Amino acid sequence: MINKNKNKNNAMELKAKIGTVIGPGAVFDGHFDTPESVRVDGTINGNCTCKELLIVGVDGKIKGDIKSQNVIISGKVEGDIIADGKLELLSTGKLVGNITARSLVVDEDACFDGRCTMTNGAENISASMFDKDKSKDKEKEKTGQNGNMAEMDNKKRY
């Protein structure tokens, strides 16, 4: 029997003209930036910026943040993702990180550990990035530089 989800996802992959392929066994260390679609079947250790479609194959691994128009994950990603369009997490995919996307599809048996923020457009994505930085600053103010919340509570009580 044919899995309908597989056919639908493969159709999106087939529509995209893949300009760059990081093959199985290949390791790329550093910031990866491309103006075209890319397929990762190897490993990228660093942030990825892709103007079109980023596909992480079943054996693909990315340790770093991703910014792309659309993202399809069948492999493993450790990092935050900003997708201006659609993010698909397929059944073999594993994502540890936060998502900011306009559209999100998560297949059964996929693994996602993080937070998701849905947006209406690019202006919201930029705003959410700034909010993330502001929230870190507010957390530092609450806890103090050493991160000890109990110490700060005791100081406020006296």
Side-chain angles (χ1 to χ4, degrees):
M1 183 173 214
I2 297 174
N3 183 343
K4 290 182 182 179
N5 286 341
K6 267 189 175 177
N7 286 343
K8 181 180 76 173
N9 293 325
N10 286 341
M12 186 174 173
E13 288 182 38
L14 291 175
K15 287 180 188 177
K17 183 179 177 185
I18 306 298
T20 303
V21 175
I22 306 235
V27 177
F28 183 92
D29 291 319
H31 181 77
F32 184 78
D33 189 16
T34 181
E36 53 196 10
S37 295
V38 64
R39 180 176 177 97
V40 179
D41 290 313
T43 302
I44 295 179
N45 295 312
N47 297 336
C48 300
T49 304
C50 177
K51 301 277 191 254
E52 294 180 16
L53 173 65
L54 175 75
I55 301 168
V56 181
V58 175
D59 296 323
K61 295 176 187 149
I62 297 179
K63 280 190 170 188
D65 296 340
I66 296 171
K67 174 144 180 34
S68 182
Q69 179 65 35
N70 297 301
V71 181
I72 299 173
I73 301 172
S74 296
K76 296 179 182 177
V77 175
E78 290 181 35
D80 296 341
I81 298 176
I82 297 175
D84 295 333
K86 183 194 260 186
L87 184 141
E88 293 185 60
L89 187 57
L90 304 182
S91 62
T92 57
K94 181 176 181 179
L95 170 60
V96 178
N98 299 320
I99 297 170
T100 303
R102 180 179 284 194
S103 175
L104 175 65
V105 177
V106 180
D107 282 356
E108 187 175 348
D109 294 329
C111 181
F112 169 55
D113 183 8
R115 292 179 17 178
C116 179
T117 303
M118 303 301 290
T119 64
N120 292 328
E123 63 280 349
N124 290 341
I125 290 174
S126 298
S128 69
M129 289 176 67
F130 291 121
D131 291 342
K132 181 179 171 183
D133 292 337
K134 287 179 185 176
S135 66
K136 286 181 183 176
D137 292 339
K138 286 181 183 177
E139 188 63 29
K140 282 183 184 177
E141 288 174 11
K142 279 184 188 177
T143 60
Q145 293 299 325
N146 63 0
N148 190 342
M149 183 64 94
E151 182 180 312
M152 290 301 291
D153 285 343
N154 288 335
K155 287 181 182 177
K156 288 180 183 177
R157 289 182 193 154
Y158 300 108

